[in-house]
Amino acid sequence: MTSRVPPGLARLNSAGDQAARTLLREVCAAGPWAAAVAAARPYADAARLYAAADAALAALDDAGLREAMAGHPPIGRPRPGDPASAREQRGMADAPEALRAEVLELTLAYQERFGHVFLICATGLGAEQLRDALRERIGNAPEEERRIARRELGKINRIRLTRLVEGGGEADAEREGARP
């Protein structure tokens, strides 16, 4: 029995080096991560891609982790015109104004304390859950927070890689008339 390579994985495998890195930087903004994942192509299946992505994430130094986090907009302020950002932060979209203001205040305090955006896999989380996570994590030691941020980045990368592998990129969704 021959397994079919999903369309997005086939596209990633066949892309030139620069095009592959560009596709991968839509998943994770860290250049070293994208370069490592692109260099390990071709992937026979999604599991091998995910394993390479996890290894590349684990290998990121502090500068690479900062670069990856800088590619994410703050919670409650998705990047304009970015359907992935809006989709991932959907839980904040209908939050009451008072809750939105509290989340903004907490995210600014978090950024002041840690020097980077609050990174959480927001997919499926409501505004109260995001606020509660901010409240909980703002008291962490910087080393603990970097460990948690790396873990959350891994979750985000996996969701985005899955969309890429399945051919569910933004351009595909727009062509199909799908909503993010």
Side-chain angles (χ1 to χ4, degrees), residues 25-27 29 70-74 77-90 156 160 163 169-171 174 179-180:
R25 286 193 75 161
E26 291 176 18
V27 170
H72 291 269
R77 293 180 278 163
R79 195 172 293 116
D82 181 355
S85 176
R87 180 180 50 255
E88 291 167 354
Q89 294 195 31
R90 187 174 297 153
I156 295 165
R160 290 178 174 186
R163 286 186 57 79
E170 301 316 323
E174 289 171 15
R179 293 184 52 91

Side-chain angles (χ1 to χ4, degrees), residues 11-146:
R11 183 178 63 220
L12 177 63
N13 281 340
S14 65
D17 288 338
Q18 185 58 44
R21 285 193 299 274
T22 298
L23 276 172
L24 290 164
R25 286 193 75 161
E26 291 176 18
V27 170
C28 179
W33 179 90
V37 175
R41 293 174 305 140
Y43 295 103
D45 55 37
R48 288 187 176 100
L49 170 63
Y50 299 150
D54 291 346
L57 178 60
L60 281 182
D61 61 12
D62 284 343
L65 185 58
R66 280 191 304 275
E67 183 181 14
M69 289 189 290
H72 291 269
I75 292 296
R77 293 180 278 163
R79 195 172 293 116
D82 181 355
S85 176
R87 180 180 50 255
E88 291 167 354
Q89 294 195 31
R90 187 174 297 153
M92 286 297 297
D94 296 325
E97 188 55 41
L99 181 54
R100 291 175 68 80
E102 183 180 6
V103 168
L104 175 60
E105 182 179 322
L106 285 165
T107 58
L108 292 173
Y110 178 97
Q111 286 177 260
E112 178 69 26
R113 174 164 164 67
F114 295 107
H116 57 77
V117 69
F118 173 70
L119 192 64
I120 187 167
C121 182
T123 300
L125 299 181
E128 283 108 2
Q129 292 169 299
L130 294 168
R131 179 206 52 212
D132 293 348
L134 270 158
R135 285 178 176 169
E136 179 181 318
R137 287 175 50 191
I138 201 163
N140 286 341
E143 306 78 35
E144 174 70 4
E145 194 52 30
R146 275 192 303 279

